[in-house]
Amino acid sequence: MDGLRVIPTWRHGQERLYVCLPDGRNIAWYDPEAARVNLLGEDHEDDVLRALGPFVTGPVRVGPPPVPTPAELVRLTLHPDDDLAPNRPGEALLVALDRDPGRARRLRPDPRRRALAAEQTVGDALDRLDGVGWHALHSVPLPGGSRVHHLLIGPGGLFALHTLYARKQRVTVADPAVTLGRRDTQPLLRLLRADADRASHALTAEVRPVLVLVEPAALSVPAAPREVRVLTDTDVPDLARQGGVLKPADVEALHAMARDRNTWTRV
């Protein structure tokens, strides 16, 4: 058949190539990551494979589209404005800085930009875990103006991560207080536990709080804090080494629930 068009698209960071008839109707799509060609009808299989020839590398599976799982059905019916999955690391800070960049000249760096750098560092590390069965959501909003910097969901369970810019500073963690350099001590761990509890309530599953310090000069934790895990940014990949808590289907179902903005309005 002549006139078939191949149209590449990107959605949530994944590439798909749709094969369309001259009138614009889709008859197949190719998922490079899964190495699969999904046919909406068997009549045009040879023509579809011929059209996709320049784009396909290596062997591929060919067949009808897989039946969507319950988690996929939830994702497909989710309104784009309510989907948190596309949020970038530090999304809330990026929006705030775009609305109010602040003064062009400052005696001291804008603390929002330091906080953004910390969230981007940790967020990028979390996003790299996506290929090993984990999902990360960023800037998850909570009622009252609070937010979870990062929510990590995977075989090892659920983690609410709070990042703190600590470059070249000494940090002391003495539950519930966190002291950063010469600054005033703040009861930060109390906030982390409260936000993790709210996330647990929203998802009806245990969410464990994690404090991540970005580039500290030194870290002192005289006694292990209650319930809160304390890491540096280089330790973040260690979270993916945990397993045995959630099955893959549970991970997908929790991710589908967590990415829906409406899930968080009731906490």
Side-chain angles (χ1 to χ4, degrees), residues 181-247:
R182 298 180 180 178
R183 301 180 189 177
D184 293 338
T185 298
Q186 297 182 352
L188 185 57
L189 301 193
R190 195 173 296 154
L191 171 66
L192 269 63
R193 282 191 285 262
D195 286 348
D197 286 345
R198 296 173 76 183
S200 298
H201 177 74
L203 300 173
T204 62
E206 182 185 11
V207 178
R208 287 172 281 179
V210 180
L211 173 64
V212 184
L213 302 161
V214 178
E215 299 183 7
L219 172 60
S220 174
V221 186
R226 179 175 59 86
E227 299 175 353
V228 180
R229 186 168 178 177
V230 180
L231 305 175
T232 65
D233 54 296
T234 57
D235 298 325
V236 168
D238 292 344
L239 292 172
R241 298 189 176 95
Q242 302 183 74
V245 176
L246 296 176
K247 297 178 181 178

Side-chain angles (χ1 to χ4, degrees), residues 11-13 71-88 91 135-141 252 254-264:
R11 182 172 175 80
H12 304 313
E72 289 172 332
L73 288 174
V74 171
R75 175 179 58 79
L76 292 170
T77 58
L78 185 60
H79 192 282
D81 290 345
D82 293 327
D83 191 358
L84 300 176
N87 279 8
R88 300 160 293 178
E91 183 74 27
H135 296 293
L137 297 172
H138 310 290
S139 286
V140 177
E252 296 304 321
L254 285 165
H255 179 239
M257 185 188 304
R259 67 191 292 175
D260 185 350
R261 187 183 301 275
N262 297 301
T263 296
W264 304 97

